[in-house]
Amino acid sequence: MLAVPTAGWIVLVATLLVGGAMIAGAVALSRNESRKRRIQLPARLVTQQRLPAGNWMTVEFPGPDGAPRTTTVFSAFRRGLGATPMFSGSVWVDADDPSDVIVRPRARSFWPVFLTIFGSVLIAVGIIVAVVLWGMDAINNLGT
């Protein structure tokens, strides 16, 4: 039987647990968001405050009873191919919870994508560190 250092197994198991939990959380967040029935409603921009990462915007849109509703939402800056405008004159409202308002159809995809990437990188780094630790132990045991 090959003698394997405990440190390699500890690193591997810890990174698999933490990285796996991050990926599972990302899947749960993504599923939760995709289950929402969002409807597009016309909206009017009331105020806008610029921040380094995006804009805080107060928008007014028709509520379920037709009366105007006002809410404050954050819209992050996006650049590059496929980037949608920060505000295009409409909002997407959860039909079951009218207080859940976003300004882009996929505005809540940051955390699932971030957690998936970070969890995958963590698992990859954990595997590399474990293999290095096992290799160092194998080299140390060559002379004995």
Side-chain angles (χ1 to χ4, degrees), residues 6 10 17 25 34 55 64 70 87 99 101 103 111 127 132 135:
T6 310
I10 291 173
L17 287 175
S34 67
N55 292 336
T70 304
F87 180 72
S99 65
V101 179
V103 293
W111 285 111
I127 290 170
V132 167

Side-chain angles (χ1 to χ4, degrees), residues 45-93:
L45 183 63
V46 178
T47 62
Q48 178 175 330
Q49 180 180 358
R50 287 198 167 282
L51 297 171
N55 292 336
W56 276 109
M57 298 184 281
T58 302
V59 292
E60 182 179 83
F61 61 96
D65 56 355
R69 293 184 67 141
T70 304
T71 189
T72 302
V73 294
F74 180 77
S75 182
F77 290 128
R78 291 186 61 210
R79 294 176 185 86
L81 273 170
T84 54
M86 295 190 69
F87 180 72
S88 60
S90 54
V91 292
W92 280 260
V93 181

Side-chain angles (χ1 to χ4, degrees), residues 18-28 112 115-121 123:
V18 174
M22 288 177 151
I23 293 171
V27 170
L115 288 173
T116 300
I117 292 170
F118 196 76
S120 300
V121 168
I123 289 172

